[in-house]
Amino acid sequence: MATSRPHRLIGFLESRKNLTGSACGLAGVVLTLTGVAGPYWPVVVAGLYGAGALLAPPERPAPPDFPDPSAQLAEVRGDFGRLRGYLADVELPPAAEEPLAGLTGLLAGLLEPGWVAEVLAADPEGLHAVSRAVRQDVPEAVDAYLRTRWWTRLTPGQEPPERHLERQLALLREETERLAERLRDAEARRQESHTRYLEDRSEH
């Protein structure tokens, strides 16, 4: 508590209210020196200080400094590299290799440094979807398969866990394909808009 008081005092001295009030109070001192305030100069100075403090805009805390989309994309790209290393070390069924390869190929293309990644970074929903796939969906699907496969060996006759893994990877691939199509459509609309702009300009 004792250490917070000096900080509060410094914060008040540096505040907009105190600075604005002090500037107005200084104007009152000038009026006093020029003889305008007369014998009531203390009231004039205090009143101008108070008026300035009331007119000053309120203090507001600075907003949180969250990483910009480019920094977020770089983090996801690094996590994707770790995910690929994890996938290289696990044993997956042959039927899951094709949807997994298609999925990781799409993710790699979206995260490749360059203009495509810049388009993704400008799309918050798309960036969130890719981040969720890399950090949650794919690792969870693979880990759940590995765990369930071990239990299936102890209790044969259950539904093969490979089916769930294949279906999950196929769904994630379809979802990522839809994202890529949406980003492509946005670029196509941008191109069409530029064509219409040039056509309209040529008519005038």
Side-chain angles (χ1 to χ4, degrees):
M1 292 296 292
T3 57
S4 65
R5 290 179 180 176
H7 291 291
R8 291 181 180 177
L9 178 59
I10 294 174
F12 171 74
L13 292 176
E14 296 177 347
S15 67
R16 291 192 184 96
K17 288 185 176 296
N18 182 60
L19 294 176
T20 305
S22 298
C24 293
L26 182 60
V29 173
V30 173
L31 292 176
T32 300
L33 295 176
T34 58
V36 177
Y40 301 102
W41 67 268
V43 177
V44 172
V45 173
L48 288 174
Y49 175 87
L54 290 175
L55 292 174
E59 297 288 334
R60 64 176 183 83
D65 186 18
F66 295 120
D68 60 26
S70 298
Q72 296 178 35
L73 187 64
E75 293 178 1
V76 177
R77 188 179 294 121
D79 292 340
F80 179 63
R82 287 188 285 275
L83 174 63
R84 298 186 83 166
Y86 164 72
L87 295 175
D89 291 336
V90 298
E91 180 183 352
L92 298 177
E97 294 178 358
E98 191 274 333
L100 180 60
L103 173 60
T104 55
L106 284 169
L107 292 172
L110 291 171
L111 292 170
E112 182 70 22
W115 67 269
V116 175
E118 292 174 1
V119 173
L120 177 62
D123 188 308
E125 293 183 5
L127 182 56
H128 173 71
V130 171
S131 173
R132 182 179 57 196
V134 170
R135 295 170 171 170
Q136 176 181 338
D137 294 335
V138 176
E140 174 63 22
V142 173
D143 186 61
Y145 161 74
L146 296 174
R147 291 170 179 265
T148 308
R149 182 184 64 174
W150 185 86
W151 286 106
T152 302
R153 290 171 179 173
L154 297 182
T155 56
Q158 305 297 318
E159 183 180 11
E162 291 84 355
R163 293 181 184 175
H164 286 286
L165 176 63
E166 294 163 16
R167 181 58 179 153
Q168 291 167 6
L169 294 176
L171 289 170
L172 288 171
R173 179 176 178 176
E174 293 171 3
E175 184 179 88
T176 308
E177 287 176 344
R178 288 195 297 270
L179 169 61
E181 290 175 0
R182 181 165 62 81
L183 296 176
R184 182 195 64 80
D185 290 343
E187 290 297 296
R189 288 193 297 271
R190 176 187 174 192
Q191 184 186 36
E192 293 169 1
S193 297
H194 190 57
T195 300
R196 288 194 297 270
Y197 164 72
L198 292 176
E199 290 173 346
D200 293 341
R201 194 175 69 180
S202 66
E203 294 175 357
H204 296 84

